[in-house]
Amino acid sequence: MIKKNFQDMELSSLGLGNMRLPTLSEGGAIDEVKARELIEYAYASGVNYFDTAFMYHGGKSESFVGKVLNQYPRESWYLASKMPGHSLRQSNGKLEFIGMLAGLPSMTVAEIFEEQLKRCGVDYFDFYMLHNVCETAYDIYTNEELGIVNYLLEQKKAGRIRHLGFSAHGRADTIENFLNLYNCFEFVQIQLNYMDWKLQDAAKKYEVITNHGIPVIVMEPVRGGQLVSLDEQAHSMLKEARPNDTIASWAFRFLQSLPNIPVVLSGMSNMEQLKENLALFSNPDPTTDAENELLQKVVATMADMVPCTGCRYCCDGCPQKLNIPKLISMYNEMTNAMHFSLQFTLNAMKEHELPTACIACGACSELCPQNIDIPDIMKKFEAELLKRKR
């Protein structure tokens, strides 16, 4: 197992994500026999980083993972969990759960944290995160009266959190603003893979975090399985380049080519996936520059994207002051498999920021070096939004 340094720790470069443990039925209870076998095999093979969260498997992931790991010496494994602030809102002076956690009894931030320690059967978390810093959760996490960040810093000072970070499905500028506001975070976890490198602008997110001198922990390396089963054309392109490699290996090798990544999390749900990934992370074999170019050609066969380079010349001529590159990026994402993270961004945007604010004057197109018909893209984006509201 390849090991990477993180401050005073030596972390396995492959981490086990515990959001997709094997279940007894689709969406059902954890199959504890198979899930235990996975975690124990991963640990015996050198994996020492285990990630869970308050909401995974209906709240059962934390307690199950803690139960299995606690059979081993506490100093031999590292546990990561998350504060579900993205699923909280303030109402009548109280915190209420929303979204997937709607209906749970109201809890304070302190009660949530204490419950997580109890579930996991630990006295401290090695890694602890704000869960999903995004546009709709930004105000909760930055609310000084609520004081989530300050509370967690107190827990860190007390030794109950060793390293504090956050996960994010927000856009690059949201991550940038959050890191500029707080200088206390030691790592950031983002969705990163060769498809989202451009589609979700993960390249920019990686750059922003790296420029702050903070390591990136990766989630969704194979995009929830999408990069394991490619269409015929994409599959053939990769097999022609490396006939003996699995399709999944390209996703992990791509991540090995990025230097600021100590851990890649994989939500492995069966032993076959685990054994393949263990082999991939036992001998480093990062993709070359030529192979990364090939991967982007593969993505181009899978996703029909507007070729915006983000130069922002168009913004200078827009009388509505629209952030056109951002809107085009969102349009590309929406029209190539809508991802839940995009909905967070849309929900937080004001009417004057949406494509509906475009007056189709054409000033932007005259300034676009790529000759993109921007008013037409805004019209199509508006139509997509209306279609999805129905």
Side-chain angles (χ1 to χ4, degrees):
M1 171 59 61
I2 305 166
K3 296 293 179 67
K4 296 286 185 72
N5 291 326
F6 179 91
Q7 298 185 28
D8 60 339
M9 296 175 169
E10 196 174 58
L11 305 179
S12 58
S13 55
L14 175 65
L16 180 59
N18 291 279
M19 184 176 73
R20 296 188 179 99
L21 291 168
T23 57
L24 295 172
S25 60
E26 187 171 348
I30 296 171
D31 186 328
E32 295 201 5
V33 174
K34 291 181 179 179
R36 175 179 285 276
E37 184 183 13
L38 275 178
I39 296 173
E40 290 179 345
Y41 193 94
Y43 176 87
S45 302
V47 173
N48 63 12
Y49 190 101
F50 299 86
D51 175 90
T52 184
F54 184 83
M55 63 194 300
Y56 292 171
H57 285 283
K60 303 298 184 182
S61 175
E62 286 180 318
S63 55
F64 180 76
V65 172
K67 179 172 63 176
V68 177
L69 289 178
N70 274 305
Q71 68 183 301
Y72 306 117
R74 180 64 182 90
E75 67 278 6
S76 68
W77 44 272
Y78 303 118
L79 183 62
S81 197
K82 310 173 189 77
M83 170 63 62
H86 68 304
S87 293
L88 294 172
R89 71 177 177 191
Q90 281 188 303
S91 178
N92 298 322
K94 297 173 60 178
L95 276 178
E96 294 180 349
F97 287 107
I98 59 173
M100 293 177 66
L101 298 179
L104 288 181
S106 177
M107 298 175 73
T108 66
V109 170
E111 287 171 340
I112 292 170
F113 184 76
E114 296 295 341
E115 174 66 18
Q116 290 179 288
L117 287 172
K118 182 180 177 181
R119 285 182 185 178
C120 294
V122 295
D123 296 322
Y124 64 90
F125 289 109
D126 302 282
F127 294 84
Y128 195 81
M129 288 164 267
L130 305 177
H131 199 164
N132 191 13
V133 172
C134 64
E135 290 71 22
T136 53
Y138 196 89
D139 288 346
I140 283 286
Y141 284 132
T142 58
N143 185 313
E144 292 186 6
E145 181 182 350
L146 190 55
I148 294 179
V149 174
N150 286 336
Y151 172 79
L152 295 180
L153 286 173
E154 290 173 4
Q155 302 315 303
K156 183 182 177 186
K157 188 176 180 180
R160 306 174 87 199
I161 295 172
R162 294 184 69 183
H163 300 288
L164 183 62
F166 64 90
S167 70
H169 283 288
R171 309 197 83 76
D173 55 351
T174 301
I175 295 172
E176 174 85 89
N177 292 338
F178 200 68
L179 287 173
N180 287 336
L181 188 61
Y182 298 104
N183 63 359
C184 57
F185 295 109
E186 301 167 81
F187 66 99
V188 181
Q189 182 172 304
I190 60 170
Q191 176 168 321
L192 178 56
N193 53 68
Y194 66 78
M195 187 172 191
D196 287 321
W197 189 248
K198 289 187 177 179
L199 187 57
Q200 286 196 20
D201 206 11
K204 182 62 177 177
K205 298 177 188 180
Y206 176 83
E207 178 187 359
V208 164
I209 298 163
T210 300
N211 286 344
H212 277 267
I214 300 171
V216 173
I217 291 179
V218 170
M219 57 182 162
E220 301 292 357
V222 293
R223 215 170 195 261
Q226 186 177 355
L227 302 183
V228 175
S229 301
L230 305 182
D231 62 40
E232 185 176 349
Q233 182 181 3
H235 185 278
S236 297
M237 291 169 70
L238 296 184
K239 278 297 183 181
E240 183 178 349
R242 290 177 66 121
N244 297 324
D245 287 11
T246 64
I247 297 302
S249 69
W250 283 88
F252 293 106
R253 291 181 56 241
F254 169 74
L255 295 170
Q256 289 178 6
S257 74
L258 301 173
N260 190 34
I261 298 176
V263 178
V264 175
L265 291 170
S266 182
M268 298 161 280
S269 55
N270 61 58
M271 192 60 70
E272 182 183 1
Q273 294 172 354
L274 175 58
K275 289 181 177 179
E276 179 182 350
N277 291 352
L278 286 169
L280 290 169
F281 283 89
S282 294
N283 296 294
D285 185 19
T287 49
T288 64
D289 289 344
E291 288 175 329
N292 287 339
E293 289 180 15
L294 173 62
L295 285 172
Q296 290 311 310
K297 290 177 181 177
V298 166
V299 171
T301 71
M302 300 161 59
D304 182 18
M305 292 191 284
V306 179
C308 174
T309 63
C311 68
R312 300 188 64 83
Y313 291 165
C314 55
C315 297
D316 293 337
C318 179
Q320 301 296 90
K321 305 301 180 185
L322 289 171
N323 187 340
I324 296 170
K326 177 180 178 180
L327 290 172
I328 291 178
S329 172
M330 294 169 66
Y331 174 77
N332 280 336
E333 189 175 342
M334 173 173 277
T335 54
N336 290 281
M338 177 76 161
H339 192 271
F340 69 88
S341 62
L342 179 57
Q343 198 61 55
F344 296 137
T345 307
L346 287 167
N347 290 346
M349 291 175 70
K350 305 293 191 295
E351 285 294 327
H352 68 272
E353 298 173 317
L354 293 168
T356 49
C358 174
I359 59 175
C361 67
C364 50
S365 296
E366 295 176 5
L367 297 170
C368 178
Q370 309 303 317
N371 297 313
I372 299 170
D373 186 347
I374 296 172
D376 183 60
I377 298 299
M378 295 300 106
K379 184 177 179 181
K380 290 177 178 176
F381 194 177
E382 179 181 354
E384 281 291 327
L385 289 174
L386 289 172
K387 185 197 311 182
R388 292 168 192 270
K389 281 183 179 179
R390 291 176 189 148

